[in-house]
Amino acid sequence: KMYVGNLPFDADEAEIRELFSEHGPVNEIALIMDRETQRPRGFAFVTMNTKEGMDRAIQNLSGKNLNGRPLVVNEAHPREERPAFAGAG
């Protein structure tokens, strides 16, 4: 699973799939949307069928310009557990 950041806000799932498919079969794309506006937040998670495909995508797409924005592409890491917010006293 890869983290893809600095996406143009008009990028859609089909455009992301096409871009990553050049490096191997794509399993899943999770384009993260803002809960309130229902618009893309500028990042996504992409899962590919093989580690080799993922490695090629990271190597070839990180820093690549997409609609004027340099992409940030790297292996996704599990989300850190954060302590629950207790609120102000």
Side-chain angles (χ1 to χ4, degrees), residues 3-41:
Y3 166 82
V4 184
N6 205 32
L7 283 168
F9 293 107
D10 61 351
D12 62 14
E13 193 173 311
E15 186 175 17
I16 297 167
R17 182 175 298 277
E18 183 179 329
L19 188 65
F20 281 83
S21 291
E22 296 172 15
H23 306 285
V26 175
N27 265 358
E28 180 183 11
I29 295 172
L31 184 58
I32 308 305
M33 307 295 269
D34 185 279
R35 286 188 197 136
E36 293 176 19
T37 65
Q38 295 306 307
R39 298 179 71 193
R41 291 188 56 195

Side-chain angles (χ1 to χ4, degrees), residues 1-2 23-27 47-57:
K1 187 180 227 179
M2 290 171 284
H23 306 285
V26 175
N27 265 358
T47 306
M48 298 188 73
N49 284 5
T50 65
K51 171 107 170 82
E52 295 78 24
M54 181 182 80
D55 291 342
R56 275 194 307 272

Side-chain angles (χ1 to χ4, degrees), residues 57-76:
I58 291 170
Q59 184 175 12
N60 292 308
L61 296 176
S62 190
K64 179 182 170 107
N65 245 341
L66 180 63
N67 300 343
R69 297 182 69 141
L71 296 177
V72 174
V73 183
N74 51 46
E75 190 168 350

